[in-house]
Amino acid sequence: MSESTPEPSAADTKTVAVGIDIGGTGIKGAIVDVSTGELLTDRKKLNTPEGGKPDDIAETVKELVASLGDIPAEASVGICFPAVVRHGVTMSAANVSKKWIGFEAEKLFEKTLGRDIAFVNDADAAGFGEATYGEAKGKGGLIIVTTLGTGIGSALIYDGVLIPNAELGHLEIGGVDYETKAAYSAKEREDLSWKKWAERLQVYYETLEKLFSPDLFIVGGGVSKNHEHFLPLLDLDTPIVPATLRNNAGILGAALLSTKRSSLVE
Ligand code: BGC
């Protein structure tokens, strides 16, 4: 913990949780006050180990958690990961090692860290974080949060309730898994201009609109900080806004979901 950040005090501990966000290139984490969505420590980041294999990632997460300093005993730990997660088991691996398919991920992290954790999809965590602390705070109806990065992540939130594992990045449009056309990685890989990329995003969000009739789209992922280059080019009936939590959405959402989970599930 850096000298500039306050130690969580005893009075805070009920609402203190750890959030860890595992990605293809980096693993980030912080101690969070889930009542306010504030980071109580600096955000720490370690590189995702080469190959992204389960044991290596679990050891890196252990190192990251240790680097956060003293964690209050009452604090829960939430970890998010870029795969379908059902009852702690990772069921897919679009942009990570195939070893995660059908893997008891939550158990591995619990064993490695020596404590209970909550384990959730990365876009679900980021979306839930945004809906709770960010742009959609207090808004009812159907909100679709998408994260545009290496893949396209999605979270469906209806009247504040998260419907997990939506996986809308893999919608098949024109016979292709559309994440391969419209993720930010596709823009980079194919060196697309903002305009050309926005044309693909137009097709993507129009399809989501047709299927779900949402009340609001929120667009996250690192590229959302450059939203003025592509969001104004989209012509949709649904309001579409950039995410506000940026790189902290996954950390905050994972931390928050861990507190919900520990109160709802034994
Ligand atoms: C994965 C999702 C993940 C998204 C963003 C997709 O390829 O299938 O589970 O949420 O990428 O990381």
Side-chain angles (χ1 to χ4, degrees):
M1 196 178 301
S2 82
E3 284 177 10
S4 58
T5 50
E7 290 267 352
S9 74
D12 289 329
T13 53
K14 277 199 290 311
T15 59
V16 171
V18 178
I20 306 286
D21 183 357
I22 301 175
T25 53
I27 303 180
K28 300 173 286 200
I31 302 179
V32 168
D33 181 342
V34 295
S35 68
T36 58
E38 255 176 90
L39 264 50
L40 298 171
T41 61
D42 285 343
R43 188 182 61 188
K44 302 278 180 175
K45 183 168 178 186
L46 293 175
N47 290 334
T48 306
E50 191 85 20
K53 295 206 196 73
D55 283 336
D56 298 339
I57 289 195
E59 282 307 321
T60 308
V61 167
K62 186 176 177 184
E63 202 185 311
L64 187 78
V65 170
S67 77
L68 296 176
D70 286 342
I71 296 171
E74 298 86 344
S76 53
V77 177
I79 300 180
C80 68
F81 189 82
V84 172
V85 180
R86 291 193 68 213
H87 311 295
V89 178
T90 36
M91 308 294 291
S92 65
N95 295 300
V96 289
S97 157
K98 299 291 172 226
K99 290 199 186 309
W100 291 93
I101 300 177
F103 185 78
E104 292 274 7
E106 186 170 310
K107 284 205 179 119
L108 171 70
F109 286 102
E110 289 188 335
K111 190 164 151 242
T112 310
L113 297 178
R115 59 180 302 156
D116 276 354
I117 62 147
F119 193 71
V120 296
N121 172 264
D122 61 346
D124 282 346
F128 201 59
E130 277 296 335
T132 308
Y133 306 112
E135 189 60 41
K137 186 175 172 180
K139 289 201 176 117
L142 179 63
I143 298 168
I144 301 185
V145 185
T146 52
T147 60
L148 303 174
T150 310
I152 297 182
S154 61
L156 288 183
I157 295 146
Y158 182 66
D159 277 354
V161 175
L162 171 72
I163 298 140
N165 292 313
E167 290 295 322
L168 300 178
H170 300 293
L171 269 182
E172 207 174 293
I173 306 176
V176 291
D177 175 343
Y178 214 66
E179 154 175 304
T180 62
K181 302 273 284 185
Y184 180 59
S185 59
K187 177 184 185 311
E188 289 199 304
R189 193 175 51 243
E190 298 181 43
D191 201 14
L192 299 175
S193 63
W194 292 110
K195 187 165 170 285
K196 284 275 167 221
W197 187 49
E199 283 167 13
R200 295 183 182 188
L201 293 174
Q202 175 70 27
V203 173
Y204 181 63
Y205 287 106
E206 247 173 38
T207 307
L208 289 182
E209 250 184 350
K210 206 161 54 191
L211 292 173
F212 294 97
S213 305
D215 295 290
L216 177 68
F217 286 122
I218 302 180
V219 180
V223 70
S224 64
K225 66 174 182 294
N226 296 317
H227 57 90
E228 71 280 5
H229 294 301
F230 62 99
L231 288 188
L233 305 181
L234 301 181
D235 180 14
L236 300 161
D237 292 333
T238 313
I240 185 161
V241 296
T244 44
L245 304 177
R246 304 273 148 72
N247 276 331
N248 293 335
I251 293 174
L252 287 167
L256 179 65
L257 284 166
S258 76
T259 63
K260 305 251 173 236
R261 164 119 181 200
S262 37
S263 63
L264 292 175
V265 179
E266 286 304 303

